[in-house]
Amino acid sequence: DRAFCNNVHKLCIPFGIPTILAITFLFNPATSLFFSIFCAMEVMSQEFHKWSHMTKAEAPAIVNVLQDAGVIIGRKAHGLHHVCPFDGNYCIVTGAMNPFLDGSGLLRMLEHWVYKINGVESNAWKLDPELRERTLA
């Protein structure tokens, strides 16, 4: 169980205050608002992920409300990511894009590209060699 600052600090570098300030001065208000919310959600994504692994009793009450409402990723939706064949449900903010991303094959394509560029295999391939074969076919 990581403390908040330890959990999100690495994402504050690319998505934190300097980025939000730059966005504010470079874009119109509507675009600035969109990217500010995007950056805030990206920073918080690690906390959302952490909370999706907690029981209802362990998570703060507001987190349970937000998970039940589908605003942030819930335990059940994220739990699907941790079962074989490990080929989907990667979204850790809300999970709303999982059906599109899982159905489109986009993530498999990106895994294939990363592998072709640097030879690094997806962790999911190590757990499911059949997924590796399907991705590289």
Side-chain angles (χ1 to χ4, degrees):
D1 182 29
R2 290 194 236 171
F4 175 80
C5 290
N6 187 34
N7 203 23
V8 304
H9 77 279
K10 288 182 181 178
L11 290 171
C12 287
I13 296 166
F15 296 104
I17 293 170
T19 302
I20 291 175
L21 285 174
I23 289 166
T24 301
F25 292 110
L26 295 174
F27 297 103
N28 65 54
T31 305
S32 294
L33 178 62
F34 171 82
F35 281 110
S36 295
I37 292 170
F38 175 86
C39 289
M41 293 299 102
E42 183 62 36
V43 169
M44 288 300 296
S45 68
Q46 290 303 308
E47 283 296 288
F48 299 159
H49 180 244
K50 178 178 82 173
W51 293 330
S52 73
H53 285 271
M54 293 180 168
T55 65
K56 279 193 177 261
E58 294 170 329
I62 187 66
V63 169
N64 291 323
V65 170
L66 294 171
Q67 286 177 334
D68 292 344
V71 175
I72 63 175
I73 191 79
R75 293 161 198 81
K76 190 179 221 178
H78 181 64
L80 296 171
H81 168 70
H82 292 284
V83 296
C84 200
F86 308 105
D87 64 349
N89 299 292
Y90 288 115
C91 299
I92 62 171
V93 174
T94 68
M97 292 300 294
N98 279 330
F100 168 75
L101 291 171
D102 294 349
S104 71
L106 176 65
L107 297 174
R108 298 285 78 76
M109 181 180 65
L110 292 174
E111 285 177 344
H112 193 164
W113 285 355
V114 167
Y115 179 71
K116 283 173 62 175
I117 292 167
N118 65 16
V120 175
E121 292 191 8
S122 162
N123 286 335
W125 296 0
K126 296 169 189 166
L127 298 169
D128 184 1
E130 199 174 287
L131 177 61
R132 180 185 190 277
E133 296 308 315
R134 284 196 317 267
T135 303
L136 296 176

